[in-house]
Amino acid sequence: MSVALLTVAGVALDALFGEPQRRHPLVAFGRLANRLEKRFNTDGRGWRSHGVTAWVLAVVPLTLLVTLLSWLPYIDWLVDMLALYCALGLRSLGEHVEPVAQALRGGDLAEARKRVGYLVSRQTDELGATAVARAATESVLENGSDAVFAAIFWFAVAGAPGVVLYRLSNTLDAMWGYRNERFERFGWAAARIDDVLNYIPARLVALTYALLGKTRLALQCWRQQAPAWDSPNAGPVMAAGAGALGVELGGPAIYHGELHQRASLGEGPAADAGSIDRGWQLVQRGVWLWLLILCVGTEFYA
């Protein structure tokens, strides 16, 4: 089967079934990562070398296993399709963001705060309606890039091994890639590797958002605002996404009890429930565009 057909099949499986409810591979991987972190970063005393060792032990054996399975005749297509399905989080993203928008439309701020807390790592218990909508919209744009588009990109580039390597690396960044006392040294490798793997996909996603929204404003925000954002990959994605939606995102946020003065992103009115909906629709349209490009490209080079 072609890469395009396998990609469509993986996306279709995600749309039909969502994330596996039991025995999700990433849940088991998370438990492994926790055990490795306890072993190599006891009381936050691990060094960069310990983080590199833990990353290799977590990612390399599983990637090699999937590589070997993908070489087996007759089932190689099944391994590819299931690998992409397990790596994608498109339906799950919608299932998490839509309740936030619904709660805001219904005036239930407490429920909206609770729901957005499942999406973001910032403190949410005192957020106002605008701040909740801003957090959810930012999460749609960034998680769309990490959990959907980048997975499709690495699958198209390197099949099952590529998407598994990417998804495991991205998971370790989410678990270890914090700039705090515990993970500053140990999580350095996980954060840097994820930055490298996301560099090209993030910019393709920023371009996708721009093409499907307010293109001129999105490109302007990308160029002018992204460099001020902490993350080299989230900056382009979120700045272009905010510009494409014509909404103001970014600004101060509290993480783990500390106030972070983040740059402003985008331009336009304050975020609301409609911003969340439009952000989710932007991600969905982007997936359709990528699938179309894959199918056309595959046919052209066949």
PDB file of all heavy atoms in Angstrom, residues 90 148-149 152 204-205 208-209 212 279-293:
ATOM      1  N   LEU A  90      -6.017  13.174  16.888  1.00  0.00           N
ATOM      2  CA  LEU A  90      -6.939  14.157  16.319  1.00  0.00           C
ATOM      3  C   LEU A  90      -8.303  14.103  16.992  1.00  0.00           C
ATOM      4  O   LEU A  90      -8.812  15.118  17.472  1.00  0.00           O
ATOM      5  CB  LEU A  90      -7.078  13.920  14.813  1.00  0.00           C
ATOM      6  CG  LEU A  90      -8.029  14.875  14.071  1.00  0.00           C
ATOM      7  CD1 LEU A  90      -7.557  16.312  14.205  1.00  0.00           C
ATOM      8  CD2 LEU A  90      -8.139  14.486  12.596  1.00  0.00           C
ATOM      9  N   VAL A 148      -0.832  15.676  15.811  1.00  0.00           N
ATOM     10  CA  VAL A 148      -1.485  15.323  14.545  1.00  0.00           C
ATOM     11  C   VAL A 148      -0.528  15.528  13.369  1.00  0.00           C
ATOM     12  O   VAL A 148      -0.077  14.569  12.734  1.00  0.00           O
ATOM     13  CB  VAL A 148      -2.775  16.139  14.329  1.00  0.00           C
ATOM     14  CG1 VAL A 148      -3.450  15.718  13.024  1.00  0.00           C
ATOM     15  CG2 VAL A 148      -3.729  15.955  15.504  1.00  0.00           C
ATOM     16  N   PHE A 149      -0.202  16.769  13.071  1.00  0.00           N
ATOM     17  CA  PHE A 149       0.546  17.062  11.856  1.00  0.00           C
ATOM     18  C   PHE A 149       1.962  16.496  11.893  1.00  0.00           C
ATOM     19  O   PHE A 149       2.434  15.947  10.891  1.00  0.00           O
ATOM     20  CB  PHE A 149       0.588  18.573  11.619  1.00  0.00           C
ATOM     21  CG  PHE A 149      -0.742  19.166  11.273  1.00  0.00           C
ATOM     22  CD1 PHE A 149      -1.432  19.946  12.191  1.00  0.00           C
ATOM     23  CD2 PHE A 149      -1.319  18.938  10.040  1.00  0.00           C
ATOM     24  CE1 PHE A 149      -2.662  20.499  11.877  1.00  0.00           C
ATOM     25  CE2 PHE A 149      -2.552  19.478   9.709  1.00  0.00           C
ATOM     26  CZ  PHE A 149      -3.229  20.255  10.633  1.00  0.00           C
ATOM     27  N   ILE A 152       1.883  12.801  11.226  1.00  0.00           N
ATOM     28  CA  ILE A 152       1.666  12.518   9.801  1.00  0.00           C
ATOM     29  C   ILE A 152       2.953  12.778   9.014  1.00  0.00           C
ATOM     30  O   ILE A 152       3.327  11.996   8.126  1.00  0.00           O
ATOM     31  CB  ILE A 152       0.508  13.367   9.253  1.00  0.00           C
ATOM     32  CG1 ILE A 152      -0.817  12.931   9.895  1.00  0.00           C
ATOM     33  CG2 ILE A 152       0.433  13.266   7.736  1.00  0.00           C
ATOM     34  CD1 ILE A 152      -2.003  13.801   9.524  1.00  0.00           C
ATOM     35  N   LEU A 204       5.822  23.818   8.632  1.00  0.00           N
ATOM     36  CA  LEU A 204       4.809  23.416   7.655  1.00  0.00           C
ATOM     37  C   LEU A 204       3.403  23.630   8.220  1.00  0.00           C
ATOM     38  O   LEU A 204       2.489  24.025   7.491  1.00  0.00           O
ATOM     39  CB  LEU A 204       5.003  21.949   7.278  1.00  0.00           C
ATOM     40  CG  LEU A 204       6.264  21.618   6.471  1.00  0.00           C
ATOM     41  CD1 LEU A 204       6.370  20.115   6.249  1.00  0.00           C
ATOM     42  CD2 LEU A 204       6.278  22.362   5.144  1.00  0.00           C
ATOM     43  N   VAL A 205       3.245  23.375   9.516  1.00  0.00           N
ATOM     44  CA  VAL A 205       1.944  23.609  10.156  1.00  0.00           C
ATOM     45  C   VAL A 205       1.628  25.104  10.174  1.00  0.00           C
ATOM     46  O   VAL A 205       0.496  25.518   9.893  1.00  0.00           O
ATOM     47  CB  VAL A 205       1.932  23.039  11.584  1.00  0.00           C
ATOM     48  CG1 VAL A 205       0.657  23.436  12.317  1.00  0.00           C
ATOM     49  CG2 VAL A 205       2.061  21.520  11.553  1.00  0.00           C
ATOM     50  N   THR A 208       0.489  26.003   6.878  1.00  0.00           N
ATOM     51  CA  THR A 208      -0.859  25.457   6.654  1.00  0.00           C
ATOM     52  C   THR A 208      -1.915  26.342   7.302  1.00  0.00           C
ATOM     53  O   THR A 208      -2.935  26.679   6.671  1.00  0.00           O
ATOM     54  CB  THR A 208      -0.957  24.033   7.227  1.00  0.00           C
ATOM     55  OG1 THR A 208       0.006  23.190   6.589  1.00  0.00           O
ATOM     56  CG2 THR A 208      -2.342  23.458   7.028  1.00  0.00           C
ATOM     57  N   TYR A 209      -1.688  26.709   8.559  1.00  0.00           N
ATOM     58  CA  TYR A 209      -2.635  27.596   9.241  1.00  0.00           C
ATOM     59  C   TYR A 209      -2.794  28.906   8.474  1.00  0.00           C
ATOM     60  O   TYR A 209      -3.907  29.424   8.308  1.00  0.00           O
ATOM     61  CB  TYR A 209      -2.156  27.893  10.663  1.00  0.00           C
ATOM     62  CG  TYR A 209      -2.256  26.738  11.638  1.00  0.00           C
ATOM     63  CD1 TYR A 209      -1.562  26.771  12.848  1.00  0.00           C
ATOM     64  CD2 TYR A 209      -3.047  25.629  11.372  1.00  0.00           C
ATOM     65  CE1 TYR A 209      -1.654  25.732  13.756  1.00  0.00           C
ATOM     66  CE2 TYR A 209      -3.146  24.584  12.272  1.00  0.00           C
ATOM     67  CZ  TYR A 209      -2.441  24.635  13.472  1.00  0.00           C
ATOM     68  OH  TYR A 209      -2.534  23.605  14.381  1.00  0.00           O
ATOM     69  N   LEU A 212      -4.904  28.602   5.286  1.00  0.00           N
ATOM     70  CA  LEU A 212      -6.316  28.282   5.499  1.00  0.00           C
ATOM     71  C   LEU A 212      -7.055  29.344   6.319  1.00  0.00           C
ATOM     72  O   LEU A 212      -8.231  29.175   6.614  1.00  0.00           O
ATOM     73  CB  LEU A 212      -6.441  26.919   6.184  1.00  0.00           C
ATOM     74  CG  LEU A 212      -5.939  25.721   5.374  1.00  0.00           C
ATOM     75  CD1 LEU A 212      -6.024  24.444   6.195  1.00  0.00           C
ATOM     76  CD2 LEU A 212      -6.742  25.570   4.083  1.00  0.00           C
ATOM     77  N   GLY A 279     -10.506  27.350  15.840  1.00  0.00           N
ATOM     78  CA  GLY A 279      -9.200  26.716  15.908  1.00  0.00           C
ATOM     79  C   GLY A 279      -9.282  25.228  15.610  1.00  0.00           C
ATOM     80  O   GLY A 279      -8.453  24.675  14.873  1.00  0.00           O
ATOM     81  N   TRP A 280     -10.282  24.570  16.168  1.00  0.00           N
ATOM     82  CA  TRP A 280     -10.489  23.143  15.926  1.00  0.00           C
ATOM     83  C   TRP A 280     -10.811  22.893  14.454  1.00  0.00           C
ATOM     84  O   TRP A 280     -10.299  21.950  13.843  1.00  0.00           O
ATOM     85  CB  TRP A 280     -11.597  22.645  16.838  1.00  0.00           C
ATOM     86  CG  TRP A 280     -12.113  21.259  16.607  1.00  0.00           C
ATOM     87  CD1 TRP A 280     -13.404  20.892  16.474  1.00  0.00           C
ATOM     88  CD2 TRP A 280     -11.347  20.050  16.489  1.00  0.00           C
ATOM     89  NE1 TRP A 280     -13.504  19.540  16.277  1.00  0.00           N
ATOM     90  CE2 TRP A 280     -12.261  18.989  16.284  1.00  0.00           C
ATOM     91  CE3 TRP A 280      -9.991  19.762  16.522  1.00  0.00           C
ATOM     92  CZ2 TRP A 280     -11.852  17.667  16.116  1.00  0.00           C
ATOM     93  CZ3 TRP A 280      -9.580  18.445  16.357  1.00  0.00           C
ATOM     94  CH2 TRP A 280     -10.505  17.418  16.159  1.00  0.00           C
ATOM     95  N   GLN A 281     -11.639  23.752  13.864  1.00  0.00           N
ATOM     96  CA  GLN A 281     -11.951  23.605  12.432  1.00  0.00           C
ATOM     97  C   GLN A 281     -10.718  23.844  11.568  1.00  0.00           C
ATOM     98  O   GLN A 281     -10.540  23.179  10.538  1.00  0.00           O
ATOM     99  CB  GLN A 281     -13.066  24.592  12.062  1.00  0.00           C
ATOM    100  CG  GLN A 281     -14.415  24.264  12.676  1.00  0.00           C
ATOM    101  CD  GLN A 281     -15.380  25.428  12.649  1.00  0.00           C
ATOM    102  OE1 GLN A 281     -15.109  26.466  12.032  1.00  0.00           O
ATOM    103  NE2 GLN A 281     -16.519  25.290  13.317  1.00  0.00           N
ATOM    104  N   LEU A 282      -9.847  24.755  11.992  1.00  0.00           N
ATOM    105  CA  LEU A 282      -8.622  25.021  11.249  1.00  0.00           C
ATOM    106  C   LEU A 282      -7.734  23.782  11.222  1.00  0.00           C
ATOM    107  O   LEU A 282      -7.169  23.429  10.174  1.00  0.00           O
ATOM    108  CB  LEU A 282      -7.881  26.195  11.893  1.00  0.00           C
ATOM    109  CG  LEU A 282      -6.580  26.654  11.225  1.00  0.00           C
ATOM    110  CD1 LEU A 282      -6.861  27.218   9.841  1.00  0.00           C
ATOM    111  CD2 LEU A 282      -5.885  27.707  12.102  1.00  0.00           C
ATOM    112  N   VAL A 283      -7.608  23.114  12.358  1.00  0.00           N
ATOM    113  CA  VAL A 283      -6.809  21.883  12.414  1.00  0.00           C
ATOM    114  C   VAL A 283      -7.412  20.816  11.506  1.00  0.00           C
ATOM    115  O   VAL A 283      -6.699  20.144  10.746  1.00  0.00           O
ATOM    116  CB  VAL A 283      -6.709  21.374  13.863  1.00  0.00           C
ATOM    117  CG1 VAL A 283      -6.084  19.979  13.911  1.00  0.00           C
ATOM    118  CG2 VAL A 283      -5.897  22.339  14.724  1.00  0.00           C
ATOM    119  N   GLN A 284      -8.727  20.652  11.567  1.00  0.00           N
ATOM    120  CA  GLN A 284      -9.374  19.634  10.735  1.00  0.00           C
ATOM    121  C   GLN A 284      -9.192  19.917   9.248  1.00  0.00           C
ATOM    122  O   GLN A 284      -8.898  18.998   8.465  1.00  0.00           O
ATOM    123  CB  GLN A 284     -10.873  19.570  11.077  1.00  0.00           C
ATOM    124  CG  GLN A 284     -11.171  19.017  12.460  1.00  0.00           C
ATOM    125  CD  GLN A 284     -12.645  19.058  12.777  1.00  0.00           C
ATOM    126  OE1 GLN A 284     -13.254  20.132  12.865  1.00  0.00           O
ATOM    127  NE2 GLN A 284     -13.245  17.891  12.936  1.00  0.00           N
ATOM    128  N   ARG A 285      -9.361  21.161   8.845  1.00  0.00           N
ATOM    129  CA  ARG A 285      -9.157  21.510   7.431  1.00  0.00           C
ATOM    130  C   ARG A 285      -7.711  21.275   7.021  1.00  0.00           C
ATOM    131  O   ARG A 285      -7.426  20.850   5.895  1.00  0.00           O
ATOM    132  CB  ARG A 285      -9.554  22.964   7.174  1.00  0.00           C
ATOM    133  CG  ARG A 285     -11.044  23.254   7.339  1.00  0.00           C
ATOM    134  CD  ARG A 285     -11.437  24.524   6.611  1.00  0.00           C
ATOM    135  NE  ARG A 285     -10.598  25.662   6.940  1.00  0.00           N
ATOM    136  CZ  ARG A 285     -10.808  26.487   7.961  1.00  0.00           C
ATOM    137  NH1 ARG A 285     -11.845  26.295   8.759  1.00  0.00           N
ATOM    138  NH2 ARG A 285      -9.996  27.504   8.188  1.00  0.00           N
ATOM    139  N   GLY A 286      -6.793  21.551   7.940  1.00  0.00           N
ATOM    140  CA  GLY A 286      -5.390  21.320   7.659  1.00  0.00           C
ATOM    141  C   GLY A 286      -5.086  19.852   7.414  1.00  0.00           C
ATOM    142  O   GLY A 286      -4.291  19.513   6.526  1.00  0.00           O
ATOM    143  N   VAL A 287      -5.715  18.973   8.177  1.00  0.00           N
ATOM    144  CA  VAL A 287      -5.514  17.539   7.972  1.00  0.00           C
ATOM    145  C   VAL A 287      -6.018  17.123   6.602  1.00  0.00           C
ATOM    146  O   VAL A 287      -5.346  16.364   5.872  1.00  0.00           O
ATOM    147  CB  VAL A 287      -6.219  16.728   9.080  1.00  0.00           C
ATOM    148  CG1 VAL A 287      -6.213  15.232   8.753  1.00  0.00           C
ATOM    149  CG2 VAL A 287      -5.541  16.972  10.423  1.00  0.00           C
ATOM    150  N   TRP A 288      -7.195  17.608   6.213  1.00  0.00           N
ATOM    151  CA  TRP A 288      -7.714  17.302   4.883  1.00  0.00           C
ATOM    152  C   TRP A 288      -6.762  17.792   3.793  1.00  0.00           C
ATOM    153  O   TRP A 288      -6.537  17.097   2.788  1.00  0.00           O
ATOM    154  CB  TRP A 288      -9.092  17.939   4.693  1.00  0.00           C
ATOM    155  CG  TRP A 288     -10.198  17.184   5.355  1.00  0.00           C
ATOM    156  CD1 TRP A 288     -10.919  17.567   6.449  1.00  0.00           C
ATOM    157  CD2 TRP A 288     -10.728  15.909   4.961  1.00  0.00           C
ATOM    158  NE1 TRP A 288     -11.850  16.616   6.770  1.00  0.00           N
ATOM    159  CE2 TRP A 288     -11.761  15.589   5.881  1.00  0.00           C
ATOM    160  CE3 TRP A 288     -10.432  15.027   3.940  1.00  0.00           C
ATOM    161  CZ2 TRP A 288     -12.488  14.413   5.781  1.00  0.00           C
ATOM    162  CZ3 TRP A 288     -11.151  13.843   3.846  1.00  0.00           C
ATOM    163  CH2 TRP A 288     -12.171  13.542   4.763  1.00  0.00           C
ATOM    164  N   LEU A 289      -6.186  18.976   3.980  1.00  0.00           N
ATOM    165  CA  LEU A 289      -5.252  19.518   2.998  1.00  0.00           C
ATOM    166  C   LEU A 289      -4.010  18.643   2.891  1.00  0.00           C
ATOM    167  O   LEU A 289      -3.545  18.333   1.786  1.00  0.00           O
ATOM    168  CB  LEU A 289      -4.865  20.949   3.373  1.00  0.00           C
ATOM    169  CG  LEU A 289      -3.822  21.622   2.468  1.00  0.00           C
ATOM    170  CD1 LEU A 289      -4.336  21.713   1.035  1.00  0.00           C
ATOM    171  CD2 LEU A 289      -3.466  23.009   3.001  1.00  0.00           C
ATOM    172  N   TRP A 290      -3.468  18.224   4.036  1.00  0.00           N
ATOM    173  CA  TRP A 290      -2.270  17.382   4.018  1.00  0.00           C
ATOM    174  C   TRP A 290      -2.560  16.041   3.342  1.00  0.00           C
ATOM    175  O   TRP A 290      -1.730  15.536   2.583  1.00  0.00           O
ATOM    176  CB  TRP A 290      -1.760  17.174   5.444  1.00  0.00           C
ATOM    177  CG  TRP A 290      -0.933  18.311   5.955  1.00  0.00           C
ATOM    178  CD1 TRP A 290      -1.138  19.640   5.726  1.00  0.00           C
ATOM    179  CD2 TRP A 290       0.235  18.225   6.767  1.00  0.00           C
ATOM    180  NE1 TRP A 290      -0.187  20.385   6.372  1.00  0.00           N
ATOM    181  CE2 TRP A 290       0.666  19.550   7.015  1.00  0.00           C
ATOM    182  CE3 TRP A 290       0.936  17.174   7.336  1.00  0.00           C
ATOM    183  CZ2 TRP A 290       1.792  19.821   7.792  1.00  0.00           C
ATOM    184  CZ3 TRP A 290       2.050  17.436   8.117  1.00  0.00           C
ATOM    185  CH2 TRP A 290       2.483  18.758   8.339  1.00  0.00           C
ATOM    186  N   LEU A 291      -3.716  15.454   3.630  1.00  0.00           N
ATOM    187  CA  LEU A 291      -4.063  14.181   2.997  1.00  0.00           C
ATOM    188  C   LEU A 291      -4.208  14.348   1.487  1.00  0.00           C
ATOM    189  O   LEU A 291      -3.775  13.482   0.708  1.00  0.00           O
ATOM    190  CB  LEU A 291      -5.362  13.631   3.595  1.00  0.00           C
ATOM    191  CG  LEU A 291      -5.303  13.180   5.062  1.00  0.00           C
ATOM    192  CD1 LEU A 291      -6.675  12.699   5.519  1.00  0.00           C
ATOM    193  CD2 LEU A 291      -4.260  12.088   5.260  1.00  0.00           C
ATOM    194  N   LEU A 292      -4.808  15.453   1.077  1.00  0.00           N
ATOM    195  CA  LEU A 292      -4.956  15.717  -0.354  1.00  0.00           C
ATOM    196  C   LEU A 292      -3.593  15.850  -1.022  1.00  0.00           C
ATOM    197  O   LEU A 292      -3.350  15.279  -2.098  1.00  0.00           O
ATOM    198  CB  LEU A 292      -5.776  16.996  -0.566  1.00  0.00           C
ATOM    199  CG  LEU A 292      -5.964  17.452  -2.023  1.00  0.00           C
ATOM    200  CD1 LEU A 292      -6.711  16.398  -2.823  1.00  0.00           C
ATOM    201  CD2 LEU A 292      -6.698  18.785  -2.073  1.00  0.00           C
ATOM    202  N   ILE A 293      -2.685  16.597  -0.398  1.00  0.00           N
ATOM    203  CA  ILE A 293      -1.352  16.778  -0.951  1.00  0.00           C
ATOM    204  C   ILE A 293      -0.613  15.443  -1.032  1.00  0.00           C
ATOM    205  O   ILE A 293       0.054  15.140  -2.039  1.00  0.00           O
ATOM    206  CB  ILE A 293      -0.547  17.781  -0.098  1.00  0.00           C
ATOM    207  CG1 ILE A 293      -1.150  19.183  -0.250  1.00  0.00           C
ATOM    208  CG2 ILE A 293       0.924  17.780  -0.495  1.00  0.00           C
ATOM    209  CD1 ILE A 293      -0.546  20.209   0.689  1.00  0.00           C
TER     210      ILE A 293
END
